[in-house]
Amino acid sequence: MTARRDIEAITERIRQRSRPGRERYLGRIAEASNRTANRAVLSCGNLAHGFAVCSPSEKLALGADTVPNLGIITSYNDMLSAHQPFETFPALIKDAAREAGGIAQVAGGVPAMCDGVTQGQPGMELSLFSRDVIAMAAAIGLSHNMFDAAVYLGVCDKIVPGLVIAALTFGHLPAVFIPAGPMTTGLPNDEKAKVRQLYAEGKAGRAELLEAESKSYHGPGTCTFYGTANSNQMLMEIMGLHTPGASFVNPGTPLREALTREATKRALAITALGNAYTPVGRMIDERSIVNGVVGLHATGGSTNHTIHLIAMAAAAGIAITWQDISDLSEAVPLLARVYPNGLADVNHFHAAGGLGFLIRELLDEGILHEDVQTVWGEGLRPYAVEAKLGADGGVVREASPRESGDEKVLAPFKKAFQATGGLKVLSGNLGHAVIKTSAVKPERRIIEAPAKVFDSQQGLNEAFKAGTLTGDFIAVIRFQGPKANGMPELHKLTTVLGILQDRGQRVALVTDGRMSGASGKVPAAIHVTPEAVEDGPIARIHDGDIIRLDADAGTLEVLVPAGEFALRRTADADLIGNEFGFGRELFAGFRQLVGRADHGASAFGTA
């Protein structure tokens, strides 16, 4: 009961804080719904351009404004495994729309980049900014005002948050998110990680490393570890933007196709032309956002969402903070162990009972808000199900199993892996930071050691190769924040620091950069804010300063007398090399406009 009261209190705190922004937002979408949410406002010339390639019957229906028209926003490309399956979705959606008496058109495409491809490369510095570009690209597609609802085809790291921002910006339209699903299980993630470590130590060659990586990332679908991409899918389902049970069904299967057809028909059913009008801007409220944070904690999800959820909520006029996220962590137990928080992948998680089981456990204990609106209707309880293929080829749903199929992967509430969530916010004289605790052993969650300071991830990697990273230490990697260079993900550091930890050294990381949902067994205080380029305290750390990271107490401190530390000059870094090449010169405006990590690292401002 205490946890339930705490969640109610935090939700009410968010509601009160958000009231002015939320009221302005709801007023805007009400005005949009009343004045512009149909094609009747378009001139004949507007309409002629909008349906020029449609069939005569479709032109007649669209001109008379008598049938719903569904806009498709797609992130398809055929380079990235997670998005390649979307190639065939528009034709499938159009066919399903016709069956339901509606029309569907591809409204626009959005870019979809992969942090896995750009990891450690210059292109990674565009990754976080791509979220806002995706939101803007989707907005351009929807700006034609031809649509009564929209479906969003997206999966991976920045794509889904960007699409959510766009959907909420067009909050007068119903929105259904349609996933592609995870790839089938390949080489186990822990075996892949071992080969990475051997390669970093010079004990395996490039051919062996490439073979291991290729066996792990081997076909269409999302990568199978529980990083940002799969955390996205969990969020869309627990926030009610997917149809029930849709998240973790593999691509290219009859059930995946049936779910896509069903989602199309549901999107058409909830337009203003019918009796179940569900504008997404009203549907997503403070309770929905809190449910998303609860799901993130209960599954040990991606640290990236401590940034993205703030930006997503802001698009709906809702103001959440890192403190809200941290306080919710204290009320939510960890119920899932999926790599890097365990050895299982998302396919194992799904087979053990998946989101349906987890949602039911949390609802039964009052840890989730049940009284929410979803694309499926009223209440979250209909999501405590398993989706299966019916005899007629359609989707049928059964109540999720009462027992987990594997309690080492998915625990019932009363056997939670830990009493608190998998994420924690740290505070102290270095500012604020985020740490993912679910993959870190309890005995490694407190470390006090001298700092080794670097102004780039390359600096630490070179020190490793030179053999100078000896003894216990806390690596400080600064000038990696959003204003400095776009806040790239520093996942490659996991391998180096993991090797040193395995050798018996006590090590940790402190950075104003990102580390993603793939951050693993090494304690990492990430997203440090204020960042170094804004004269944050991280820019005053010297080599040898003792830093104390205490993930249990939620503190991050440099143990230097306050007066001495305050008088230190902040370090400077030459960032000219981060300003040009691989398109980085085009994003100078983003680096100037972007907000702090704890404000969502957005170029659009806050709620």
Side-chain angles (χ1 to χ4, degrees):
M1 290 298 292
T2 301
R4 184 180 303 185
R5 286 195 299 269
D6 289 345
I7 288 168
E8 289 286 354
I10 296 166
T11 305
E12 182 59 25
R13 181 172 80 198
I14 295 169
R15 186 179 290 113
Q16 293 300 324
R17 183 194 306 127
S18 304
R19 190 179 299 280
R22 182 67 174 165
E23 288 178 353
R24 288 193 298 271
Y25 172 78
L26 291 175
R28 288 198 301 269
I29 66 170
E31 183 180 6
S33 181
N34 292 332
R35 287 176 39 186
T36 64
N38 59 69
R39 290 169 298 286
V41 300
L42 299 182
S43 72
C44 294
N46 297 149
L47 276 171
H49 281 84
F51 60 44
V53 298
C54 293
S55 69
S57 62
E58 288 174 334
K59 289 180 181 180
L60 184 64
L62 289 173
D65 205 26
T66 58
V67 300
N69 189 26
L70 186 61
I72 304 168
I73 300 291
T74 176
S75 61
Y76 163 72
N77 64 56
D78 65 6
M79 182 188 73
L80 303 181
S81 64
H83 296 89
Q84 184 271 343
F86 288 137
E87 179 179 13
T88 60
F89 278 38
L92 189 67
I93 290 166
K94 290 178 183 182
D95 186 60
R98 281 191 291 269
E99 287 181 1
I103 298 169
Q105 296 178 293
V106 174
V110 302
M113 69 178 293
C114 177
D115 289 1
V117 176
T118 57
Q119 196 66 244
Q121 303 295 320
M124 174 57 81
E125 295 178 19
L126 306 187
S127 173
L128 181 58
F129 293 147
S130 77
R131 181 195 67 195
D132 293 359
V133 172
I134 288 160
M136 292 188 290
I140 290 169
L142 295 173
S143 68
H144 298 97
N145 198 26
M146 287 285 294
F147 309 107
D148 300 284
V151 290
Y152 296 85
L153 312 184
V155 175
C156 283
D157 295 18
K158 314 308 169 299
I159 295 90
V160 166
L163 293 176
V164 170
I165 291 169
L168 291 169
T169 302
F170 285 78
H172 61 286
L173 296 178
V176 177
F177 280 64
I178 302 179
M183 68 177 67
T184 56
T185 300
L187 182 73
N189 287 290
D190 60 323
E191 292 185 28
K192 172 197 67 184
K194 289 176 184 175
V195 178
R196 284 181 176 177
Q197 290 203 179
L198 290 172
Y199 178 77
E201 293 178 284
K203 297 176 182 178
R206 181 177 173 84
E208 295 166 276
L209 178 62
L210 183 57
E211 181 183 14
E213 299 282 3
S214 298
K215 287 181 177 178
S216 181
Y217 309 119
H218 64 88
T222 316
C223 306
T224 60
F225 65 87
Y226 196 55
T228 310
N230 286 315
S231 296
N232 281 339
Q233 304 317 301
M234 178 280 300
L235 281 174
M236 293 303 93
E237 188 151 337
I238 209 165
M239 290 171 64
L241 286 162
H242 279 173
T243 57
S247 293
F248 297 124
V249 175
N250 301 125
T253 61
L255 178 55
R256 178 83 277 158
E257 180 176 325
L259 284 162
T260 300
R261 286 182 172 277
E262 179 191 64
T264 301
K265 294 175 180 179
R266 185 60 191 168
L268 292 170
I270 59 176
T271 72
L273 297 177
N275 297 319
Y277 179 43
T278 310
V280 69
R282 287 195 174 276
M283 186 192 99
I284 296 296
D285 63 11
E286 294 86 354
R287 295 165 299 176
S288 309
I289 298 295
V290 168
N291 281 352
V293 178
V294 168
L296 196 68
H297 289 314
T299 57
S302 171
T303 53
N304 278 325
H305 281 298
T306 61
I307 296 174
H308 296 324
L309 274 164
I310 291 173
M312 290 155 60
I318 298 169
I320 63 169
T321 68
W322 276 3
Q323 192 60 54
D324 297 328
I325 295 172
S326 189
D327 290 348
L328 285 166
S329 180
E330 296 302 308
V332 180
L334 180 68
L335 300 184
R337 284 222 178 272
V338 186
Y339 189 86
N341 309 327
L343 297 180
D345 67 18
V346 292
N347 292 312
H348 301 133
F349 168 76
H350 186 65
L355 282 177
F357 178 93
L358 182 133
I359 288 170
R360 197 223 32 252
E361 290 291 299
L362 294 172
L363 283 174
D364 286 352
E365 297 294 331
I367 305 297
L368 285 170
H369 291 288
E370 186 169 351
D371 58 336
V372 293
Q373 195 171 20
T374 74
V375 299
W376 204 241
E378 294 293 334
L380 193 60
R381 184 69 60 172
Y383 284 74
V385 294
E386 281 187 288
K388 296 185 177 181
L389 194 68
D392 62 352
V395 181
V396 296
R397 289 179 171 85
E398 299 176 357
S400 61
R402 298 306 304 180
E403 295 183 0
S404 168
D406 187 345
E407 291 188 2
K408 294 180 180 178
V409 177
L410 182 59
F413 189 90
K414 291 180 170 54
K415 296 182 180 179
F417 295 113
Q418 63 185 48
T420 57
L423 298 175
K424 187 103 173 181
V425 174
L426 307 176
S427 301
N429 62 3
L430 290 178
H432 301 285
V434 173
I435 188 168
K436 184 171 182 174
T437 60
S438 51
V440 179
K441 292 181 178 179
E443 63 270 21
R444 296 192 180 277
R445 293 179 186 175
I446 301 173
I447 177 170
E448 186 175 305
K452 290 183 183 288
V453 183
F454 304 92
D455 290 343
S456 70
Q457 59 182 325
Q458 290 79 12
L460 183 139
N461 286 329
E462 289 167 6
F464 174 75
K465 292 175 182 176
T468 59
L469 298 180
T470 57
D472 298 346
F473 68 93
I474 293 181
V476 177
I477 315 293
R478 58 196 183 186
F479 295 101
Q480 306 300 306
K483 282 190 177 295
N485 62 353
M487 206 180 191
E489 192 175 281
L490 308 176
H491 182 43
K492 279 188 175 291
L493 299 179
T494 301
T495 300
V496 169
L497 295 173
I499 290 168
L500 299 175
Q501 183 170 277
D502 288 348
R503 290 176 181 173
Q505 294 173 240
R506 291 184 60 78
V507 296
L509 174 68
V510 173
T511 181
D512 50 8
R514 293 186 296 119
M515 199 72 165
S516 100
S519 57
K521 61 190 180 183
V522 176
I526 59 178
H527 308 174
V528 171
T529 186
E531 62 176 289
V533 81
E534 292 189 303
D535 297 332
I538 192 173
R540 298 202 299 271
I541 299 174
H542 291 173
D543 276 322
D545 285 347
I546 302 299
I547 296 175
R548 181 177 175 84
L549 187 165
D550 187 337
D552 292 333
T555 57
L556 179 65
E557 301 272 352
V558 57
L559 305 184
V560 175
E564 176 191 337
F565 193 64
L567 291 173
R568 285 184 182 177
R569 293 185 60 182
T570 54
D572 291 318
D574 182 3
L575 299 174
I576 192 69
N578 303 100
E579 296 176 1
F580 298 93
F582 287 87
R584 289 176 289 181
E585 50 268 64
L586 301 177
F587 285 80
F590 278 77
R591 291 190 292 271
Q592 293 171 6
L593 288 173
V594 68
R596 288 168 34 153
D598 58 345
H599 295 166
S602 174
F604 303 144
T606 56

